[in-house]
Amino acid sequence: IGGNNPALAQEFAACGVPIARRVGMFEEGVALMRRLWTEPEITFEGRYFQVQSVRLGLRPLQPSGVPLWLAGSGDNALRRVLRLGDGWLPISSPQAFMADWEHLQALGQEMGRDAHDLHRCVYTTLNVNADGAQAERELRAFIESYYGISYEVQATRNGLCAGSAEHCIAWLKAFIAAGAQTIVVRFGSPDQTGQLVRFAREVLPGL
């Protein structure tokens, strides 16, 4: 879904889709996909999608369909995770992850959904380097090139960590302590292979 910002609005406009429809289209799309995955043939009359007597040639192996891990940290997004998701996959700092996980549990009690049924994953971006200043320079360049906005702004929204293996291990362990069950790591560096090797050799053993 993303946020309603100029860069994303430009992408929607290029596809001829008003950005204001993104939440409704997403939720209706999930409903449509779940029916296609689990029923032999469907007719669907939604606000955005209409299909008549269609079926999938190959349906998922899982009887309940493909597990969906949804992102999000705001109140509406967390409610959507509880209504529609099988897992929760935010981009977050350890502190924000812990706070949002507690909020997710409270919302689950309110909505009659046990938040513990959700698989808890986190998506974070690392640059592993004993030279902390170099690690931050590379991560800054990567983030600003990828998102087209300042590193300082994006750092308030994303889980970003730059520094030594020990520093990165502590960062990831904080997510585990906060309840994360799976961690997705992206490397903020022009040297993706080098970062992968360094992560495997220096960070993973510490986890």
Side-chain angles (χ1 to χ4, degrees):
I1 295 174
N4 192 347
N5 58 61
L8 192 63
Q10 190 174 28
E11 293 181 9
F12 272 77
C15 295
V17 178
I19 193 170
R21 296 181 183 175
R22 70 194 190 286
V23 175
M25 291 183 72
F26 176 84
E27 294 194 0
E28 189 172 295
V30 168
L32 174 58
M33 288 189 297
R34 287 202 185 277
R35 288 195 57 195
L36 283 167
W37 290 336
T38 57
E39 299 177 32
E41 183 176 289
I42 74 164
T43 292
F44 186 93
E45 292 290 340
R47 179 179 179 184
Y48 303 104
F49 306 105
Q50 299 83 37
V51 297
Q52 297 290 328
S53 303
V54 298
R55 66 183 70 191
L56 292 183
L58 293 173
R59 285 190 286 157
L61 179 65
Q62 303 95 325
S64 59
V66 177
L68 296 179
W69 295 5
L70 306 186
S73 58
D75 198 74
N76 288 338
L78 294 178
R79 289 180 184 277
R80 186 179 307 115
V81 170
L82 289 161
R83 282 191 294 107
L84 303 178
D86 302 295
W88 176 48
L89 199 168
I91 300 177
S92 187
S93 68
Q95 297 78 14
F97 183 89
M98 182 180 295
D100 287 337
W101 170 230
E102 291 176 357
H103 188 41
L104 193 62
Q105 293 175 79
L107 288 175
Q109 289 183 333
E110 175 189 313
M111 297 170 62
R113 170 86 191 271
D114 188 350
H116 289 87
D117 292 339
L118 296 165
H119 189 93
R120 299 180 299 280
C121 181
V122 68
Y123 180 78
T124 187
T125 305
L126 306 183
N127 186 294
V128 187
N129 195 321
D131 182 341
Q134 179 63 23
E136 184 161 344
R137 281 193 295 271
E138 289 188 6
L139 183 57
R140 174 184 293 272
F142 177 89
I143 290 297
E144 292 187 344
S145 173
Y146 188 93
Y147 292 101
I149 60 177
S150 76
Y151 179 79
E152 285 73 19
V153 170
Q154 199 61 29
T156 65
R157 305 172 182 173
N158 273 347
L160 307 176
C161 180
S164 68
E166 293 75 20
H167 178 67
C168 292
I169 289 168
W171 169 265
L172 297 175
K173 280 187 172 181
F175 284 114
I176 297 168
Q181 297 165 296
T182 297
I183 298 175
V184 175
V185 175
R186 172 177 65 168
F187 299 115
S189 168
D191 181 13
Q192 293 287 304
T193 302
Q195 284 286 303
L196 179 60
V197 169
R198 186 173 292 167
F199 181 82
R201 289 177 177 170
E202 301 176 17
V203 177
L204 273 183
L207 298 175

